[in-house]
DNA sequence: GTCTATAAACTGATAGAC
DNA sequence: GTCTATCAGTTTATAGAC
């Protein structure tokens, strides 16, 4: 028979804290952890079935909370979806830090491709939720694309144009170069099922991702008149 | 006031033929045209909202037929979806005909990229329905990927390995080369909203597709140690 | 804060008259 | 073959007891 203290801790671990049996600090930690569990569950369900196909019942089930609680923490299914997307967008813009004027072009682009492939391997669900949102017209993040993302690409494009003007690489359209890199890396997350099927595997192996990063880097760098990296 | 004949023709054009007012031949043509309209409407709705988000009511509305008739021509929503996919797959394998042993590698790959970009431009909805299906685990076309598509890629990979062995191009992994080409071309259909937003446009222009085809071809061919085409 | 029960709205599919 | 009316099953969201 568990003590009252053990029972309370069990509740913190599993379904959160009931009012009155935990200090404020612990309650906040617990609340944050419940929200994190719901967000993680939501990401997986949205990735598998898209926004419309996802049900709050399934998300709640995977998060291990009653459906009513999900609606207590996130008012509507759309609110939950928006917050999942928000987390993904923050992940996205974090890469590409090495693309700055005084970097070596080959090193910077190689690093960017590797980081994006790494993300495809580590967070394929996030990539799929994002891809699904864009394919269906970006109803929730259209503003982000036209503002933050466009600004980000404009800044990076200026860097690349600078490299070209300095004779450090072949003349290419910098924006379409980014479209190429995004497509080539994200495809290993979004289309993993197709790629695995063509390779005759159940799922992609670490070696597949490694070869993908190597070849994508080589072809794109070479296409930009740069030497491949070790 | 329309004559009886005009009225009958109008019905053929709009909702098909009622029993008794058309010969068998005309009825069959009409039936095919109704099915084609439903399939086209279904493609657009599936592309916009995915399988789960699509409603048979919306598809019927766009096709200009009562919902019950849609279920008369296509028993279930899944049946309709499968037939839409079927048409898309046939479209897909048609390209790549020039990738055969005695072709010039640069010409063949350039032609393949151009054909795929052309398809992205002409049939973006088809590309999005396909992408949506793959992202969500290919529940309906998993078999196609493991059989027909895998065989197709195996055959083409042998051709490319032959070109490499003959010293006609740099050594690359042929399968990952296809993944690159698919990703780079289909992204202009699937992610058109994102690309247009980054380019600051309402939608992509013919010049955008032309530049895309040119740059994708240049970078991939150069990356394969081949000279760019005119 | 948690959870059961249920309201309110939607959707795929069909019955049955024409 | 066509079409209106409707059923049966889901699904989002909330009320209200604890």
């Amino acid at each position: 028979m568990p003590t009252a203290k053990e029972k309370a801790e069990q509740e913190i671990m599993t379904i959160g804290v009931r009012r009155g049996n935990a200090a404020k600090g612990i309650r906040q930690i617990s609340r944050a952890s419940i929200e994190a569990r719901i967000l993680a569950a939501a990401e997986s369900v949205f990735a598998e079935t898209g926004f419309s196909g996802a049900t709050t019942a399934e998300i709640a089930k995977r998060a291990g909370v009653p459906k009513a609680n999900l609606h207590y923490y996130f008012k509507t299914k759309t609110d939950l979806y928006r917050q999942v997307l928000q987390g993904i967008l923050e992940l996205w813009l974090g890469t590409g830090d090495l693309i700055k004027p005084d970097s070596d072009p080959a090193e910077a682009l190689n690093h960017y491709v590797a980081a994006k492939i790494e993300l495809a391997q580590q967070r394929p669900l996030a990539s799929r939720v994002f891809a699904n949102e864009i394919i269906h017209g970006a109803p929730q993040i259209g503003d982000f694309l036209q503002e933050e993302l466009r600004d980000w690409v404009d800044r990076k494009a200026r860097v690349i144009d600078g490299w070209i003007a300095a004779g450090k690489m072949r003349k290419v359209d910098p924006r379409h170069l980014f479209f190429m890199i995004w497509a080539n890396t994200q495809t290993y997350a979004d289309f993993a099922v197709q790629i695995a099927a063509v390779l005759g595997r159940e799922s992609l192996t670490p070696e597949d991702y490694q070869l993908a990063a190597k070849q994508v880097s080589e072809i794109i760098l070479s296409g930009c008149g740069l030497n491949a990296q070790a």
Side-chain angles (χ1 to χ4, degrees), chain A residues 35-90:
Chain A
E35 288 179 353
R37 286 171 60 129
I38 294 173
L39 285 168
E43 182 177 274
S44 76
V45 177
F46 285 133
E48 283 173 27
T49 61
F51 176 77
S52 307
T55 66
T56 53
E58 176 64 21
I59 295 172
K61 186 181 161 196
R62 289 197 199 180
V65 302
K67 190 170 54 133
N69 294 29
L70 182 150
H71 283 283
Y72 171 74
Y73 286 105
F74 301 89
K75 202 85 182 78
T76 68
K77 178 181 165 182
T78 303
D79 283 344
L80 176 55
Y81 178 62
R82 281 214 197 88
Q83 293 206 30
V84 169
L85 281 174
Q86 188 61 41
I88 295 171
L89 298 183
E90 287 164 12

Side-chain angles (χ1 to χ4, degrees), chain A residues 29-224:
Chain A
I29 290 170
S30 183
R31 180 180 184 112
S33 98
I34 292 174
E35 288 179 353
R37 286 171 60 129
I38 294 173
L39 285 168
E43 182 177 274
S44 76
V45 177
F46 285 133
E48 283 173 27
T49 61
F51 176 77
S52 307
T55 66
T56 53
E58 176 64 21
I59 295 172
K61 186 181 161 196
R62 289 197 199 180
V65 302
K67 190 170 54 133
N69 294 29
L70 182 150
H71 283 283
Y72 171 74
Y73 286 105
F74 301 89
K75 202 85 182 78
T76 68
K77 178 181 165 182
T78 303
D79 283 344
L80 176 55
Y81 178 62
R82 281 214 197 88
Q83 293 206 30
V84 169
L85 281 174
Q86 188 61 41
I88 295 171
L89 298 183
E90 287 164 12
L91 208 62
W92 251 229
L93 293 190
T95 54
D97 294 341
L98 274 188
I99 301 174
K100 51 185 202 288
D102 50 349
S103 294
D104 173 62
E107 192 184 342
L109 291 179
N110 183 65
H111 178 270
Y112 185 54
V113 168
K116 291 285 289 177
I117 289 271
E118 171 88 5
L119 217 47
Q121 183 177 3
Q122 301 300 328
R123 298 289 304 273
L125 300 180
S127 187
R128 281 172 212 148
V129 173
F130 180 81
N132 191 67
E133 165 73 6
I134 304 288
I135 286 176
H136 299 137
Q140 302 296 332
I141 60 167
D143 289 350
F144 165 84
L145 300 179
Q146 292 178 0
E147 294 156 20
E148 281 100 315
L149 184 64
R150 189 182 172 195
D151 289 348
W152 187 95
V153 173
D154 280 351
R155 286 195 303 277
K156 300 301 184 188
R158 250 173 269 132
V159 173
I160 290 176
D161 278 331
W163 290 340
I164 294 170
K168 291 181 179 172
M169 61 182 278
R170 180 184 301 173
K171 182 167 168 44
V172 299
D173 182 285
R175 287 173 185 78
H176 286 271
L177 176 60
F178 277 107
F179 303 151
M180 285 191 75
I181 295 176
W182 294 343
N184 280 319
T185 54
Q186 290 171 20
T187 197
Y188 285 93
D190 305 338
F191 285 58
V193 169
Q194 181 183 22
I195 292 173
V198 168
L199 294 178
R201 310 198 201 305
E202 190 87 16
S203 61
L204 297 182
T205 67
E207 290 72 29
D208 290 327
Y209 290 104
Q210 206 177 344
L211 176 55
K214 181 169 176 287
Q215 174 147 325
V216 170
S217 253
E218 275 180 9
I219 290 186
I220 287 186
L221 263 61
S222 166
C224 290

Side-chain angles (χ1 to χ4, degrees), chain A residues 11-25:
Chain A
E11 281 170 348
I12 292 173
M13 296 296 287
T14 54
I15 55 168
V17 182
R18 290 165 196 282
R19 180 173 42 159
N21 65 358
K24 198 184 178 194

